Amino acid sequence: AMTEAIVHRGPDEDGHHLAPGIALGARRLSIIDLPSSHQPTTNERRDVRAVFNGEIYNYSELRADLQSRGHRFSTAGDTETIVHAYEEFGAGFPKWLRGMFAIAVWDAPRRRLVLARDRMGVKPLYYALTPRGLAFCSEVKSLLAGGLVVPRLDPMAAEIYLAYGYVPGPRTLFAGVSKLAPASTLVWEGGTLSEESVYWHPWDGVRPAGASWQEDEDTLLDLLRESVRARMISDVPLGMMLSGGLDSSLLTALMCEQSTQPVKTFSVGFTEDAEANELADARRVARRLGTDHHELLTSATDHPSLIEEALWHLEEPVAALSFLGFLLLSRLAGEHVTVALCGQAADELLGGYAKHAVAHAADILARVPGPGQRAVAGIGARLPAASRLGRGLRAMATTDDAVRQLQMSRVVLEGQRRSLLSSGFRSVDADREFREIVRSRASGHFNTVLGETLFLDTKLALVDLMFLYFDKMSMAASLEIRVPFADHDVVAYCMALPGDRKVRRTRRKEILRRVSRGLLDDATIDKQKRGFFRAASSTWLATHRDGIVRETL
């Protein structure tokens, strides 16, 4: 029942292993070594088994290394490297993997289960402690289908969701169901669950002190080229989600450099987004790069059942209806390919949002004498709570990273949220909980407001909002999404770059614009960021107000 609930994640194959104390199940979307790499996979002695979702991009090099250490392989794919890496390196094996993954390894002699999630949290991994032991899955619906968890709302998670539009891990909206943190492992042994163990930090990379602009540009472009190359490894057709913006266009150009065939690209536009419709931009980029381009122009009113279908797959809603557009985009791509790359994470790494300009301004403000700082704080305090300028000025003036993150991230204001909730439900303090979550994520490593803001973005909204709906919506279409900007070498280098490489005056993602010169046209490089599905979402809500909205409320 648990694997049947997620057939969409792996329509090609269903595998199980049942033994005393363990039950493993996996659905397979066949991408590498199609005929052989069945799951659960096992070692030579058949006493270590693994299931996983994702891709190990360095599996060829890792396989050669493990073979030199005496390990024998029976398949040619990436799945089998996991059990042998565990045998060789123990529970710390994920640090040898380059990729996106949610992994479970069962060590029968030790009666030990090891759960591991990739460094940036591209792939989801849920778990729950139940009367029958530890249960884990890629989607919560598996726990519900297996009768292992009774669906109950976590009131604290609900308050956080209403305030900030998503639920940061380890919480979920389901009471008793947790999300494993990115770059972490969890061990269940002898009936006891360990503390989560972090196996990677994004400041583990090396950037030469005093590197010039040109050196930084060359290094970043080399890292992106290598990341794209690794993510083009596939035994099935692959393509690119092309929005027409800077991030996806640059990655498309790098794919075209390395492909002997025209790269397949995919774009979706909405008639309601007349000004923000990027189909023309994507078409221009595709024509310049010579891609095999596919596009869909549609209306938000053309898909009356889309929200119900999307929410079943999403499980945890997010306050960004762009997930509906991404589901349509995934369905379009899924008609032609099994794997697609996307440009997500560049904004969080290199300063693509307005709040990153605010954070950079806060670093500048910190160098202003005290009276100037107090004047800015005073102006911000007098502006309305909902004012974007007021929120920005208040965020600039505070020295508390957690408070600043709250001010820049809030979706529903405190007074609005309180008026929506009954007194019986409103028994928790979401702001205080969110502050603690932010403080627990804070690195203590970055000495600038911009650096810490970007780091927190990668630990919070990128994982539990963006990657959550990217994974769920693409898997709903049985499509695998790969994220070159989330490669851990790219991430570490971006984290190490000085703030002026990211925000320069008021221009955001400055270094990415510079490395794109010569690869893309100036119009693509210099265009302003646009919100995907923003205008269409308003039309959708208005269209369905008397349907699902009224029925649900």
Side-chain angles (χ1 to χ4, degrees):
M2 293 180 72
T3 55
E4 287 174 2
I6 54 169
V7 168
H8 51 279
R9 295 190 75 91
D12 299 329
E13 198 172 282
D14 189 20
H16 301 89
H17 171 67
L18 302 176
I22 187 67
L24 296 175
R27 296 291 323 190
R28 185 185 178 201
L29 180 64
S30 301
I31 292 172
I32 292 174
D33 188 27
L34 275 58
S36 302
S37 292
H38 311 296
Q39 292 194 46
T41 189
T42 186
N43 61 343
E44 306 96 319
R45 295 186 304 276
R46 307 184 70 80
D47 58 1
V48 175
R49 297 179 188 267
V51 290
F52 101 111
N53 174 217
E55 298 292 339
I56 310 301
Y57 302 123
N58 66 332
Y59 78 94
S60 293
E61 304 94 311
L62 184 57
R63 175 193 174 98
D65 178 50
L66 291 166
Q67 285 176 321
S68 72
R69 297 168 185 257
H71 295 269
R72 299 191 307 277
F73 284 73
S74 59
T75 70
D78 60 338
T79 307
E80 196 182 351
T81 58
I82 293 170
V83 289
H84 295 295
Y86 171 79
E87 287 182 296
E88 187 67 35
F89 305 118
F93 74 94
K95 68 179 65 174
W96 274 267
L97 308 181
R98 177 186 188 183
M100 58 178 189
F101 49 81
I103 293 172
V105 175
W106 172 245
D107 183 337
R110 292 184 175 86
R111 317 299 290 168
R112 172 200 282 175
L113 180 77
V114 180
L115 300 180
R117 192 176 182 193
D118 66 72
R119 292 168 178 82
M120 296 300 291
V122 178
K123 284 296 177 181
L125 207 172
Y126 297 93
Y127 68 93
L129 277 173
T130 77
R132 297 167 61 184
L134 178 69
F136 62 90
C137 55
S138 289
E139 297 189 13
V140 180
K141 56 179 64 68
S142 288
L143 295 177
L144 304 181
L148 299 170
V149 169
V150 177
R152 289 184 298 108
L153 187 67
D154 178 342
M156 175 66 82
E159 279 232 52
I160 293 173
Y161 171 76
L162 286 175
Y164 301 104
Y166 67 98
V167 180
R171 288 185 181 276
T172 70
L173 281 174
F174 296 87
V177 178
S178 300
K179 290 177 277 207
L180 182 62
S184 296
T185 57
L186 192 64
V187 177
W188 168 269
E189 189 168 5
T192 302
L193 192 62
S194 69
E195 293 276 330
E196 292 187 10
S197 177
V198 177
Y199 63 84
W200 177 80
H201 296 285
W203 51 84
D204 289 347
V206 177
R207 173 183 174 269
S212 67
W213 266 100
Q214 191 61 54
E215 289 169 329
D216 280 335
E217 290 170 36
D218 291 345
T219 301
L220 180 58
L221 191 55
D222 287 344
L223 288 170
L224 285 172
R225 277 197 172 104
E226 171 55 24
S227 178
V228 168
R229 183 205 64 76
R231 283 158 182 79
M232 290 178 69
I233 296 172
S234 174
D235 293 339
V236 294
L238 58 79
M240 179 74 208
M241 304 298 219
L242 178 60
S243 71
L246 173 64
D247 311 333
S248 63
S249 298
L250 175 58
L251 296 183
T252 304
L254 298 181
M255 285 182 75
C256 290
E257 286 182 349
Q258 303 182 49
S259 178
T260 56
Q261 301 293 324
V263 172
K264 295 181 185 296
T265 51
F266 306 95
S267 303
V268 166
F270 297 90
T271 54
E272 294 84 359
D273 283 328
E275 294 186 9
N277 193 330
E278 295 186 287
L279 278 184
D281 294 332
R283 199 178 302 131
R284 186 187 68 249
V285 173
R287 192 161 48 241
R288 173 188 170 93
L289 297 175
T291 72
D292 177 13
H293 191 55
H294 306 264
E295 64 178 42
L296 170 68
L297 177 62
T298 186
S299 166
T301 60
D302 291 341
H303 309 278
S305 63
L306 190 64
I307 187 68
E308 293 170 275
E309 297 166 17
L311 285 177
W312 186 83
H313 286 283
L314 194 61
E315 302 179 321
E316 291 192 87
V318 293
L321 282 177
S322 52
F323 70 83
L324 295 172
F326 196 73
L327 176 57
L328 293 177
L329 179 58
S330 297
R331 287 176 175 174
L332 171 66
E335 294 173 3
H336 303 272
V337 298
T338 308
V339 177
L341 278 62
C342 75
Q344 192 57 41
D347 290 316
E348 289 79 4
L349 292 172
L350 294 170
Y353 299 126
K355 66 176 176 180
H356 299 141
V358 170
H360 185 58
D363 287 323
I364 296 172
L365 183 65
R367 300 195 290 268
V368 174
Q373 295 181 31
R374 288 192 291 274
V376 170
I379 295 170
R382 289 193 293 273
L383 289 170
S387 162
R388 290 187 66 181
L389 177 60
R391 290 170 68 174
L393 292 175
R394 289 191 292 275
M396 281 171 56
T398 184
T399 58
D400 188 316
D401 290 324
V403 172
R404 185 185 307 106
Q405 195 77 12
L406 293 171
Q407 290 169 335
M408 294 192 293
S409 304
R410 185 186 291 280
V411 175
V412 179
L413 300 180
E414 175 68 8
Q416 295 171 328
R417 195 177 86 248
R418 291 289 175 185
S419 68
L420 288 170
L421 303 177
S422 66
S423 58
F425 187 87
R426 192 179 63 242
S427 59
V428 291
D429 185 344
D431 277 1
R432 181 183 303 167
E433 177 73 7
F434 196 87
R435 275 196 301 273
E436 291 309 309
I437 289 171
V438 173
R439 285 170 181 148
S440 71
R441 300 287 196 284
S443 70
H445 182 83
F446 301 97
N447 57 9
T448 65
V449 173
L450 178 58
E452 192 64 34
T453 299
L454 291 168
F455 173 76
L456 287 170
D457 281 348
T458 66
K459 289 293 185 182
L460 293 164
L462 180 64
V463 178
D464 292 312
L465 192 159
M466 293 293 186
F467 284 160
L468 184 147
Y469 85 70
F470 268 55
D471 172 83
K472 299 284 182 65
M473 296 299 95
S474 57
M475 286 282 95
S478 299
L479 176 76
E480 178 175 284
I481 290 291
R482 297 178 179 178
V483 192
F485 280 106
D487 182 90
H488 66 273
D489 288 336
V490 173
V491 170
Y493 198 80
C494 289
M495 290 280 184
L497 289 170
D500 69 344
R501 303 296 196 260
K502 302 164 186 176
V503 181
R504 190 163 175 83
R505 298 185 178 92
T506 58
R507 207 159 101 125
R508 308 195 290 268
K509 291 191 292 193
E510 176 67 19
I511 192 170
L512 205 62
R513 298 180 194 278
R514 295 192 183 196
V515 302
S516 300
R517 299 289 177 194
L519 293 169
L520 302 172
D521 61 283
D522 289 349
T524 301
I525 294 170
D526 296 323
K527 69 178 286 191
Q528 294 296 309
K529 185 176 180 62
R530 295 171 179 173
F532 180 52
F533 197 67
R534 184 166 296 163
S537 64
S538 300
T539 303
W540 187 92
L541 284 170
T543 302
H544 297 284
R545 184 175 52 214
D546 293 327
I548 186 174
V549 176
R550 185 178 300 278
E551 290 168 11
T552 302
L553 294 178

